[in-house]
Amino acid sequence: MKKMLIAGNWKMNCNSFEATVLVEYIWGGLLEKILKSEILVCPPFTSLETVVKVLEKAPVHVGAQNCHYEPKGAFTGEISIQMLSHIGVEYVIIGHSERRSIFGEDDELINNKLKAIINADLKPILCIGETLNERNEGKTFDILKFQLEKCLESVTESDIYKITIAYEPVWAIGTGISATREQIVEAHDWLRTYLISKYGSVANDVIILYGGSLNAKNAESVLSVKNVNGGLIGGASLNPEEFLIIINVAENILSNS
Ligand code: PEP
């Protein structure tokens, strides 16, 4: 059966007061629903503990947007996975294109984070995706292959299902220009085939999200794609009504599958 994860990446938005208002609204919209999909919100570090507490009894999971791979030490300004785990965080987004392009994170660093997250029994959401130039030069699948090979280095068949992959074409993030359904079908089919060729049939269980200007209007078209198991949603996840619409779309797709 198709699995679905609807994840909100809040980026650098919402202090702990605003975060509380936002998640209480989302939770309110989910009351008395038996959800088939998994819902996740990823607030900034300073709101995480508050959001975990507010959502303690809610069917909504909490993730961080980054981490350091060492458990502790002289890394000024960094947050360890153990610190996140201690306050009840379950997921960590890694390799987001904003971290790659603005903060210079490379695939080797992302691989170190990924292995440390798995070792700490948290769930990594690994973001990969091509830039517009790379797509226009016909290099999309070379880039995806390169990023997967590096970021998943030394990950075995027994761990691959613990990793969520988010295909996020860089040109679609925050631009209002989503990839077309055809582009998404092509990329997600390619990703599934690649993962199965490398890890075997266990890779059928890997959650593959689409991210890039996903919103209430295009959710049905994107989320109904066979190898799309949900979305990583930036801008639209800050609007609780829109986020709830996307969740409803996912629920309807699962109910009819
Ligand atoms: C993201 O930040 O991962 C993202 C996909 O953003 P947006 O939905 O705003 O394009």
Side-chain angles (χ1 to χ4, degrees):
M1 209 188 90
K2 191 171 164 94
K3 289 196 223 162
M4 206 84 96
L5 170 66
I6 302 298
N9 172 17
W10 294 4
K11 312 196 187 198
M12 198 171 72
N13 294 290
C14 291
N15 61 30
S16 51
F17 174 74
E18 294 160 335
T20 303
V21 174
L22 186 48
V23 289
E24 281 181 343
Y25 193 105
I26 294 167
W27 187 9
L30 300 174
L31 286 178
E32 283 157 37
K33 286 199 173 169
I34 298 169
L35 293 171
K36 292 188 162 66
S37 49
E38 188 166 337
I39 315 301
L40 171 70
V41 291
C42 301
F45 286 129
T46 52
S47 303
L48 279 172
E49 194 164 5
T50 304
V51 168
V52 168
K53 283 188 182 139
V54 172
L55 293 176
E56 204 185 336
K57 295 197 167 67
V60 181
H61 301 258
V62 181
Q65 300 171 23
N66 187 23
C67 64
H68 196 281
Y69 58 85
E70 291 289 356
K72 61 180 178 178
F75 301 102
T76 302
E78 292 291 316
I79 305 282
S80 76
I81 298 153
Q82 287 68 18
M83 293 167 185
L84 297 171
S85 175
H86 181 72
I87 58 166
V89 167
E90 291 175 72
Y91 283 84
V92 188
I93 298 171
I94 49 173
H96 193 281
S97 71
E98 287 152 16
R99 296 227 51 95
R100 291 174 187 262
S101 65
I102 304 170
F103 302 102
E105 295 196 2
D106 62 16
D107 292 312
E108 193 187 335
L109 176 68
I110 296 162
N111 175 248
N112 282 332
K113 293 185 184 193
L114 183 130
K115 289 183 291 192
I117 295 167
I118 292 175
N119 284 339
D121 282 331
L122 266 68
K123 301 173 191 174
I125 298 180
L126 169 64
C127 302
I128 54 169
E130 80 288 358
T131 63
L132 191 57
N133 274 348
E134 288 161 347
R135 174 163 282 271
N136 290 340
E137 286 167 12
K139 292 186 186 154
T140 298
F141 299 112
D142 293 338
I143 296 297
L144 297 183
K145 186 163 185 267
F146 184 84
Q147 290 177 337
L148 283 175
E149 266 169 13
K150 298 275 174 203
C151 295
L152 296 179
E153 203 177 291
S154 78
V155 170
T156 61
E157 297 92 72
S158 55
D159 281 336
I160 189 66
Y161 74 94
K162 300 175 183 168
I163 298 162
T164 295
I165 310 268
Y167 169 58
E168 298 211 305
V170 178
W171 47 273
I173 297 177
T175 58
I177 304 166
S178 167
T180 64
R181 187 176 158 96
E182 291 67 33
Q183 289 168 325
I184 296 172
V185 169
E186 190 188 29
H188 282 246
D189 285 354
W190 185 91
L191 287 167
R192 184 73 70 202
T193 305
Y194 171 86
L195 291 169
I196 291 172
S197 74
K198 204 155 172 214
Y199 296 98
S201 59
V202 68
N204 280 310
D205 291 333
V206 174
I207 300 275
I208 308 178
L209 308 180
Y210 169 77
S213 299
L214 183 52
N215 57 38
K217 283 203 182 105
N218 59 26
E220 164 74 34
S221 157
V222 174
L223 298 178
S224 59
V225 170
K226 182 174 150 236
N227 278 314
V228 170
N229 303 111
L232 183 55
I233 304 152
S237 71
L238 293 168
N239 175 339
E241 283 168 23
E242 187 159 15
F243 195 57
L244 285 169
I245 293 174
I246 299 170
I247 293 170
N248 265 330
V249 170
E251 288 296 306
N252 287 337
I253 291 169
L254 292 180
S255 296
N256 298 325
S257 70

